[in-house]
């Protein structure tokens, strides 16, 4: 069964850090572009970051540039999102998604596989 499972979310104080993981099973991520999306209450789903299957291209939405880093470890079949200097406005459910393509895409509709999401709450 093809699955993506996010983990690493939780409650963190402003300025803190979290590392989200997206582990794939049932398929190999090597040939997939991966995206991280988030959805806050009352807001539309937003593309946060994505990485190409070739590791040479990445994207970050302006609001997280300099704070978030996307990476992948194909040996572990896992993609990560390191989140530093977290702000309350980062609070959302974070989803990872995968699509068998080389180039990155920020369009949610382009992605074939989705995880169940992990909650990130930034609050004092």
């Amino acid at each position: 069964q093809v699955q993506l499972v996010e983990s690493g979310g939780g409650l963190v104080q402003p300025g803190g850090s979290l590392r989200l993981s997206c582990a794939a099973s049932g398929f190999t991520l090597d040939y997939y572009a991966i995206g991280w999306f988030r959805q806050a209450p009352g807001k539309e789903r937003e593309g946060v970051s994505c990485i190409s299957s070739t590791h040479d291209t990445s994207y970050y939405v302006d609001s997280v540039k300099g704070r978030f880093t996307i990476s992948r470890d194909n040996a572990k079949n896992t993609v990560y999102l390191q989140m530093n200097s977290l702000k309350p406005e980062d609070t959302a459910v974070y989803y990872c998604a995968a699509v068998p393509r080389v180039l990155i895409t920020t369009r949610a509709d382009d992605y074939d596989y989705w995880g169940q999401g992990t909650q990130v709450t930034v609050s004092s």
Side-chain angles (χ1 to χ4, degrees):
Q1 183 178 355
V2 174
Q3 286 188 319
L4 293 171
V5 179
E6 302 96 334
S7 62
L11 176 64
V12 64
Q13 294 183 344
S17 298
L18 288 172
R19 188 179 74 161
L20 305 184
S21 298
C22 176
S25 62
F27 69 106
T28 301
L29 287 177
D30 302 46
Y31 310 106
Y32 287 74
I34 307 296
W36 284 98
F37 295 80
R38 66 186 180 187
Q39 188 161 21
K43 296 184 178 180
E44 295 184 354
R45 184 165 45 188
E46 175 188 37
V48 177
S49 182
C50 50
I51 187 168
S52 69
S53 63
T54 58
H55 301 193
D56 60 354
T57 306
S58 60
Y59 161 85
Y60 301 92
V61 68
D62 286 345
S63 61
V64 309
K65 287 181 178 177
R67 300 189 297 119
F68 290 12
T69 303
I70 190 170
S71 62
R72 64 194 303 163
D73 186 340
N74 287 342
K76 296 182 177 180
N77 217 25
T78 301
V79 175
Y80 304 96
L81 185 67
Q82 178 67 46
M83 305 186 296
N84 298 326
S85 302
L86 283 163
K87 304 175 181 180
E89 52 263 42
D90 296 318
T91 296
V93 177
Y94 284 71
Y95 302 88
C96 67
V99 59
R101 60 185 283 168
V102 175
L103 300 179
I104 59 174
T105 176
T106 59
R107 290 174 50 88
D109 288 346
D110 289 340
Y111 287 85
D112 296 326
Y113 306 109
W114 290 81
Q116 83 290 345
T118 185
Q119 177 70 47
V120 172
T121 302
V122 185
S123 176
S124 60

